[in-house]
Amino acid sequence: MRKTVFIRTFGCQMNDYDSRRIADLLEATHGLRRVERPEEAGLLLLNTCSIREKAQEKLFSELGRFRELQEADKSVVSGVGGCVASQEGEAIFARAPYVNLVFGPQTLHRVPELLQRTLTERRQAIDISFPEIEKFDRLPDPRVDGPAAFLSVMEGCSKYCSYCVVPYTRGEEYSRPFDDVLAEAVHLARHGVRELTLLGQNVNAYRGRTHTGRIADLAALLHYLAAIDGLERLRFTTSHPVEFSPRLVDAYRTVPELAGQLHLPVQSGSDRILGAMKRGHTVADYLQLVAALRQARPELSLSTDLIVGFPGETEQDFAATLALVEQVRFDNAFSFIFSARPGTPAADLPDPVPQAEKLQRLERLQRRIREFADDYSRRMVGTTQRVLVTGNARRNPRELSGCTENNRVINFAGPLALIGEFVAVEVTTALANTLRGRLSSQLEHAC
Ligand code: SAH
Ligand code: SF4
Ligand code: F3S
């Protein structure tokens, strides 16, 4: 087998983080170098997502490409991991017999063993169990590429929203020990990371055990991380409105390193639908939380996730979602049509609303969201933003690209030496998905 690995990732940032860690691990155990093109790889891996049907469908179209490469070169090995693997297990081998290994989100640390088994015994290998979390203990230090990094602080989800597969694919909530998280953060900071995003499907439910046996929450973790030299900007995602404690709200007042941007999914503006989704909160609870957050950090930029066409959603329920969007004025939002996921309670609910009507609702919602997002970007024109320079601009490698506090990409001219630094950039133009700006001389004021 060639000593190279190609990993294609679908899904959330946690999957992205997992893929990086698999690459780190395979480099340590098998000396595999990660490559960007599948044609160059000895090992082909797919890290899959099953959150909506569309995401799941991508698996088999992508596997078709793997098959061609495996037929052309018999030494090429392929594997499927992630949330679809967790749900489908052996069924993946049945549908795609050329796949050599299957692993789940909680067994990615065992990929080297599975690979070894496949190579030596020449048979398919599978492990989609949920071992008492050991995966983080078995991974080498993460490789750092660039000044912004992710760090998974907890795994799984125990909320069981009625439409969602995550608790079944990733298992119950488990928080990584507090000291392990700090050690990984220190490692990242030492290697040039300046902005850290803490990850978890319910990251605000974090409760990590410390070396003294006490339990530390996310607010405590943020305070400790903020004290690490080099870490100058912190984010966390994704939060659930229910466990957003007053201590965590207060962190927006007391931890200046905490970016003034928060992704806080609400899913629907109708209490009836929120109840059917088993979200555990009302619209009023959500609005109260938003008010408290905005009091703690007046310039806080808020984004959200919304589901349109949940079974039984009436025009009135949908109007309530639109009204909520108007009221909160989200700076950005991701909206999806409900997708019935096998094995979830909502998949069995009667759903009389025709798909065409759902699509219309989605379009109406997305139009409004787009207007708010554009308006927000336009209001940034003329302001000076604190920007972390992350690398070259994608379209024009002679320009720099960076990220504002509210998570907008901004491109501007400047010397390469600034990559990895925080600089002040005046926003000059708001484009559809990015901003343009120029380096500002008022560095000290803004930073
Ligand atoms: N843990 C996070 C996000 C989970 S997945 C949270 O609870 O907020 C990301 C988003 O996908 C969700 O917020 C939801 O809006 C969407 N989603 C999840 N399951 C879905 C389904 N069955 N159909 C449509 N959208 C879904
Ligand atoms: Fe899914 Fe709900 Fe858990 Fe989010 S909180 S991952 S939507 S079950
Ligand atoms: Fe998808 Fe699994 Fe993430 S279903 S969104 S990859 S947790």
Side-chain angles (χ1 to χ4, degrees):
M1 192 189 97
R2 240 174 301 164
K3 292 270 181 203
T4 43
V5 56
F6 168 82
I7 311 180
R8 180 118 164 77
T9 312
F10 299 116
C12 58
Q13 288 145 321
M14 303 190 70
N15 251 19
D16 199 51
Y17 175 86
D18 284 352
S19 290
R20 286 167 197 262
R21 303 306 305 269
I22 296 171
D24 296 339
L25 184 61
L26 287 168
E27 184 172 4
T29 59
H30 284 75
L32 302 191
R33 182 171 53 86
R34 188 166 181 180
V35 290
E36 295 299 318
R37 287 165 17 100
E39 297 77 18
E40 295 169 4
L43 174 62
L44 297 162
L45 294 179
L46 267 186
N47 198 3
T48 59
C49 169
S50 55
I51 200 81
R52 286 169 290 275
E53 199 177 343
K54 253 205 191 128
Q56 178 148 1
E57 278 167 3
K58 285 191 194 159
L59 164 65
F60 290 100
S61 59
E62 197 70 14
L63 274 182
R65 286 179 61 208
F66 281 13
R67 178 190 201 154
E68 285 168 23
L69 293 168
Q70 286 183 279
E71 277 170 1
D73 178 348
K74 297 283 181 232
S75 74
V76 173
V77 175
S78 72
V80 177
C83 290
V84 182
S86 179
Q87 278 204 302
E88 300 289 320
E90 296 272 354
I92 291 180
F93 290 144
R95 219 174 130 180
Y98 45 90
V99 169
N100 304 95
L101 42 123
V102 168
F103 55 97
Q106 304 313 349
T107 47
L108 58 87
H109 58 291
R110 295 183 182 163
V111 170
E113 291 157 51
L114 296 174
L115 175 62
Q116 208 47 41
R117 220 186 301 160
T118 297
L119 290 174
T120 52
E121 297 169 23
R122 304 237 147 252
R123 63 183 177 90
Q124 289 169 315
I126 180 168
D127 188 347
I128 51 164
S129 60
F130 293 91
E132 188 49 28
I133 289 276
E134 58 178 26
K135 83 175 193 193
F136 295 108
D137 301 338
R138 305 279 198 87
L139 298 171
D141 280 338
R143 183 192 156 107
V144 174
D145 56 355
F150 291 142
L151 199 174
S152 271
V153 300
M154 63 173 297
E155 268 297 326
C157 179
S158 310
K159 297 286 177 293
Y160 293 92
C161 300
S162 62
Y163 52 82
C164 183
V165 290
V166 173
Y168 312 100
T169 61
R170 287 200 171 246
E172 295 269 316
E173 285 168 12
Y174 171 87
S175 297
R176 286 179 72 185
F178 191 71
D179 301 15
D180 290 6
V181 173
L182 291 185
E184 191 169 322
V186 167
H187 166 84
L188 293 170
R190 276 209 192 118
H191 288 83
V193 169
R194 314 293 296 277
E195 172 177 321
L196 191 60
T197 303
L198 308 180
L199 299 178
Q201 279 298 353
N202 261 306
V203 69
N204 52 325
Y206 177 80
R207 272 174 201 81
R209 194 167 285 280
T210 69
H211 60 279
T212 58
R214 293 211 332 266
I215 298 292
D217 63 4
L218 187 64
L221 183 60
L222 288 167
H223 279 280
Y224 274 75
L225 290 172
I228 294 175
D229 268 353
L231 292 186
E232 293 183 31
R233 195 189 262 168
L234 301 171
R235 306 179 192 274
F236 54 89
T237 197
T238 303
S239 299
H240 192 292
V242 165
E243 271 165 304
F244 219 102
S245 69
R247 274 170 54 80
L248 192 54
V249 172
D250 208 47
Y252 281 94
R253 220 186 308 267
T254 54
V255 183
E257 288 81 359
L258 190 52
Q261 172 261 336
L262 175 67
H263 186 62
L264 191 61
V266 64
Q267 315 299 359
S268 170
S270 152
D271 281 341
R272 201 176 69 81
I273 297 294
L274 285 177
M277 289 176 165
K278 300 240 172 331
R279 289 289 289 180
H281 64 85
T282 61
V283 174
D285 295 334
Y286 186 86
L287 289 173
Q288 210 174 4
L289 176 58
V290 167
L293 283 161
R294 284 185 167 155
Q295 205 173 24
R297 189 70 80 84
E299 74 283 14
L300 186 71
S301 157
L302 273 176
S303 58
T304 200
D305 289 344
L306 297 155
I307 296 179
V308 168
F310 186 83
E313 182 192 73
T314 62
E315 180 58 35
Q316 210 180 354
D317 294 317
F318 175 67
T321 297
L322 276 180
L324 180 69
V325 167
E326 296 289 331
Q327 193 173 351
V328 179
R329 297 184 73 91
F330 293 105
D331 300 327
N332 215 343
F334 302 93
S335 47
F336 317 95
I337 290 190
F338 167 77
S339 171
R341 307 311 293 127
T344 62
D348 300 327
L349 294 174
D351 191 5
V353 183
Q355 197 65 12
E357 193 165 329
K358 293 185 179 188
L359 202 61
Q360 251 183 9
R361 286 182 192 165
L362 185 74
E363 279 165 9
R364 276 162 69 197
L365 181 64
Q366 289 190 334
R367 211 174 311 131
R368 200 65 192 113
I369 289 167
R370 187 77 249 169
E371 282 167 8
F372 278 121
D374 289 348
D375 182 51
Y376 190 76
S377 295
R378 270 198 303 273
R379 276 185 289 130
M380 287 177 74
V381 174
T383 65
T384 299
Q385 299 286 324
R386 183 168 177 258
V387 168
L388 175 64
V389 187
T390 46
N392 300 101
R394 242 198 296 171
R395 292 248 175 90
N396 179 355
R398 278 181 310 193
E399 288 205 338
L400 298 175
S401 184
C403 181
T404 64
E405 183 135 334
N406 52 19
N407 235 351
R408 292 278 203 276
V409 173
I410 185 161
N411 297 319
F412 53 97
L416 289 179
L418 290 179
I419 293 174
E421 302 289 326
F422 282 95
V423 295
V425 180
E426 186 189 336
V427 183
T428 53
T429 322
L431 304 170
N433 297 308
T434 53
L435 302 168
R436 287 201 54 75
R438 65 170 155 260
L439 270 174
S440 163
S441 51
Q442 5 161 330
L443 212 68
E444 286 84 37
H445 298 297
C447 300

